[in-house]
Amino acid sequence: MFRPLLHDYFRSSASYRVRIALRLKGVEHDSVSADLRAGDQRSDEYKARNPQGFVPMLEMDGHKLTQSLAIIAYLEAVRPEPRLLPADPADQAHVRAMALLIACDIHPLNNLRVLNYLKNELDHDEPVRNDWYRHWIAEGFAALEALAAPRAGRFLFGNEPTLADVCLVPQMYNARRFDVPLDDYPLLVRVDEEANRLDAFAAAHPDRVAG
């Protein structure tokens, strides 16, 4: 049986989420880099496997799985322990809402293809692009801090990592890369620190997988 193969890029937030989830679930896998800077993801060979031309893609159990949250949902179904979503439907909806706030409302506005469009097609210089990046993170983090606060424990929900934390940690990495002030988000900072004490999060960090 073939080991799962992750098509990855070290700074891709979506790939980072899947790296964390694979490690939390204890899924042994191999990785191959698709260098987004070089356009590897747009090659005919790669797009024959993933027509959208994005990372991550996980080849597992004979499937070519795309989109980070869909991949993590598959892992949750086939490797249910440890759980990344609580059993209670209302709690599960709450965790999903926090994860989607990051994955759907912050990240898509700040990914590489958007930044390249701002640069190349709209001719915005780097300070303007960086202001754009910081604005959407700050807006999203303010909402997430408030949403998480009533039910947070060690993590965004309770005392075990969930899908919300899997999404938060890569976004915190991005925020620091772009010098987003984090003083207004003490809960998010604390949870990020707590998560990165766990081997599954630390081993997935871009600095650990770059090469």
Side-chain angles (χ1 to χ4, degrees), residues 77-100:
V78 301
R79 303 287 179 94
E81 297 297 334
R83 298 182 65 99
L84 296 179
L85 289 168
D88 179 79
D91 292 343
Q92 189 174 126
H94 176 62
V95 169
R96 286 188 189 276
M98 292 189 288
L100 291 169

Side-chain angles (χ1 to χ4, degrees), residues 18 22 30 33 57 86 91 104 113 117 119 121 138 155 159:
V18 173
L22 286 166
D30 297 318
S33 177
M57 177 174 67
D91 292 343
C104 297
R113 64 186 185 132
Y117 187 83
K119 176 183 177 180
E121 277 71 27
F155 297 96
N159 294 317

